Amino acid sequence: MRWKKFYSLPSLIKAGRKAARTCQTVSFDLFDTLIIRRIHDPDMVKLPVARYISSLAGKQGIVCPWYRVQEIRDTIEQEHRRRTAQHHPDHEACYPLFMREALSQIFGPHADLDHLLEQVTDFELHMENRMLVPRRELVDWLRELHRSGKRIFILSDVYLPSDHLRRLIRHAGFLDSVEAVLSSADRFQAKASGLGFDSAATTYGLDPSSWLHVGDNPFSDGLRPAEKGIRSLVLRDFREKHRKAVIKRYVQYSAGKPFWRGRSVQQLMLPLEAENPGPCSPLYAYGHNVLAPLLCAFMHAVAHQCLANDIKRLYFFSREGWLLQKIWQRVVPELYPLADLPKASYLYVSRMALAGASCAHQGLVRSSADIVFLPEGNRDFRDVCRVFSLDPEPFAAHLARYELTPETVLSPLHEGFVPRSRLMFTGLLDDADFQEEVRRQCREPGLAVEAYLEQEEFFKYPDVGLVDIGWLGTIQRFLFDAVKHRDDAPACHGFLFAATRGIEYPTSKRNRISGVIYDRHRFELAASSILQARDLFEEACRAPHPTLSGYRLTDSEVNLVFRDRDDTTGSAEQEQDKYFEPLQQGILDGAIRYGPAVQLLGHTFDDLRPWLNYLLLSRFSFPKTTEVTDIRYLHHLDDFQGQAVPVPGHTGSPTGPWECSPRRLRIDPLLRLKFFLSMIRQRLRE
Amino acid sequence: MKKDVVTDIHYDIGRGEIVRISRLSLLNKFIPLGHLGGGPGLRCLLVLFVVHRFGNPLFRILMLQEERLTRLYVWLRRRGGKESPAGSGSC
């Protein structure tokens, strides 16, 4: 009986359909046939398992580095194969047997080996599942054969016994179409010697003359079954060879060139087979290929910081935290399977909702008032009152004492500004009666915020981590100001995607912020590219609910008050959310594969930084025109922004490619370079 | 809005990321772009460009000539030639 080679899946399936007409039994090889691995080398899946065992040992006070664990495993496995070869023609090993012996050597013979083996097996199969992808066309054909009444078997030469293989196949989603799964680890009878086929024929009463076998190995899946009279088809897929050659090179190069480390992670994150959506929205592709690695790396670094600083509670600030929390849930448990991770939850906060509460005890401080005048639409004391939810009328007498009115221009960006007015305003902030009135008006919002935070267990932990997208850390500043008078106020560790620090943050031991991807306090030229498209990150991560305007305290509970979405701004925001839906979906789909990819390659956040910097540079400082037109947001709501129009000259000129028209981006080839050089100048002046 | 892809038949990110890396790497020779971990390296870029762009026809030929190539590798190895430096980590 002859066996045939095929170089593409469609030609194999076509021939297989024809051959299967006269066959009652169809058997398939599993690895590289029905399911493919994301990584080129299957042995690389053993490395995260070695790290896992090393961490398990560390928890029990046993020092055994991961490379030693790997060495022990390899030695014992080799020994098992040698012993098997003394009695069987195949040099096979059985995972539960050699792993139990390896664990016994690492943890000692008196350890609870059954429990340890179960734990390690679960992790190894979990990693395998994350790296395996079913081949859609072949699995569809397998299902078709099953529906037409054929007996379907899976035969594999591997160290995993058949019950482990069944778990992998169940995860891949086609166990229901398979009659039996046979592994060479069960009876040490492999396809390589042909005994695997004999064993299957005897156990299940199979007739070789009506049996078709499909696999990828010319020897085990081609020659051997042909010798037994089984018709066989062998797939030598050049596309798979190509894919593996690509990932192999990225992994090899990343060992010597740090630049490629992040790229190799991204190569492992790419969707394969049915995961690949094919031609899709550019927003989806951008979310998957650009924003997902950046935001996942951010969560990776936050998790590392939390574990290093023993932070047990983590809050994601609304509204960007909504997406960040979803990324956290997908990424971090994969990265730290044994760690005591902080309890994470979403905190409904906003600058507007917390601004008033921040003045309940300390009054209105100068740095907080300065923040009001950063947005160009804010002009006078009425804007201060709007931001801090104050009633301007009771302040009339206080303002008059300092020759001010609610309409006196306090921002230098507006017509009619006199520097003396700002000096008088500073004097007003030092006035005890003025501050007493501020505190009186802010008392109720302050109590409501404290009640909400109590409800969210904020005061139960000595240290809390606070995650936000950026940029000045204003939400954390207001939050800490609202609670710092309390003895049980926790130390707040703020983790920002990027910290621009436009206004100096009041850093102390109990309250600090750090920018993870970009921080103005560190000189990072490439990472400063973030500044070119800050609003994009806000819009991309935003929750689908409206912004919070405040908290309402009732007798029994705290109610959240959201901004009305029926007005023009609300409708614009909804339109924007709908537009960015595919972008968010792309980010979340990419995030699923980030954790296993990093876990497998063993990279840290710092290893990925050169690639993240490249992504920031190429996408934000040197973007393609189509990227700017497709990805640029339609509407951006800034709840701090007032309605006043600044004098011409303070607005209008673009500061980066993301603010330019597509026409200008197309016709001026040096435009991006000019903006980049201007950004370098600014950074050097800081 | 023109459709895009997450990965194409060349197994690259989107459409031709390797070209974009090459362009930025060239720019980095003239102006400082920041911390890029030493950059991609010319040889790595060339190899990856070939593997991405011409991998499809190249591996088709290699697969078709697999048996002859295997015999060639065996012959070369028997002559005392060194194995390919897989996993060397440098480029």
Side-chain angles (χ1 to χ4, degrees), chain A residues 6-9 12 32 135 138 215-216 233-237:
Chain A
F6 295 88
Y7 296 95
S8 75
L9 211 46
L12 178 128
D32 296 325
R135 251 194 185 137
L138 213 49
D216 71 306
L233 309 177
V234 174
L235 176 66
R236 303 298 289 161
D237 191 350

Side-chain angles (χ1 to χ4, degrees), chain A residues 5 236 238-239 242 245 250 252-253 256 260 263 267 279-280 282 288-289 526 579 613-614 618-619 627, chain B residues 1-2 4 6 11-13 17 20-21 31 33 35-36 40 47 51-52 56 59-60 66-67 87 89:
Chain A
K5 253 190 212 179
R236 303 298 289 161
F238 68 90
R239 289 194 46 74
H242 178 200
Y250 279 120
Q252 281 185 2
Y253 293 163
W260 296 111
R263 178 66 186 85
Q267 194 65 24
C280 58
H288 191 287
N289 291 343
Y579 182 70
N613 283 344
Y614 161 77
S618 63
R619 297 320 200 274
E627 278 170 357
Chain B
M1 204 184 286
K2 204 177 155 191
D4 205 349
V6 175
Y11 297 108
D12 203 351
I13 296 174
E17 187 69 30
R20 206 163 176 177
I21 296 173
I31 56 165
L33 293 181
H35 169 43
L36 294 177
V47 172
V51 175
H52 273 302
N56 232 318
F59 284 99
R60 188 190 288 259
E66 195 183 14
E67 282 164 28

Side-chain angles (χ1 to χ4, degrees), chain A residues 124-133 167-168 171-172:
Chain A
E124 177 135 1
L125 295 182
H126 172 79
M127 275 314 295
E128 285 281 8
N129 277 332
R130 289 285 177 269
M131 283 299 125
L132 295 171
V133 186
R167 283 167 71 176
L168 300 180
H171 185 264

Side-chain angles (χ1 to χ4, degrees), chain A residues 630-672:
Chain A
D630 292 344
I631 315 298
R632 188 157 46 186
Y633 52 85
L634 305 173
H635 309 281
H636 178 61
L637 168 76
D638 182 358
D639 50 3
F640 254 37
Q641 184 79 260
Q643 301 296 320
V645 182
V647 282
H650 286 290
T651 57
S653 58
T655 55
W658 286 80
E659 291 170 22
C660 291
S661 67
R663 193 170 153 269
R664 204 175 155 203
L665 285 167
R666 277 195 192 99
I667 60 171
D668 189 347
L670 296 175
L671 187 69
R672 293 161 183 84

Side-chain angles (χ1 to χ4, degrees), chain A residues 297-355:
Chain A
F298 173 39
M299 287 299 98
H300 185 171
V302 170
H304 177 74
Q305 290 285 324
C306 286
L307 293 173
N309 293 306
D310 201 25
I311 295 168
K312 301 281 183 215
R313 194 74 168 92
L314 191 65
Y315 293 99
F316 291 87
F317 283 164
S318 61
R319 290 185 289 166
E320 292 79 27
W322 178 80
L323 191 80
L324 295 175
Q325 193 195 3
K326 282 177 183 286
I327 296 170
W328 171 276
Q329 286 161 351
R330 281 163 174 75
V331 168
V332 176
E334 295 281 349
L335 292 173
Y336 301 97
L338 280 172
D340 184 14
L341 291 169
K343 188 180 170 190
S345 61
Y346 183 61
L347 201 65
Y348 283 93
V349 285
S350 74
R351 291 182 299 181
M352 294 294 275
L354 292 173

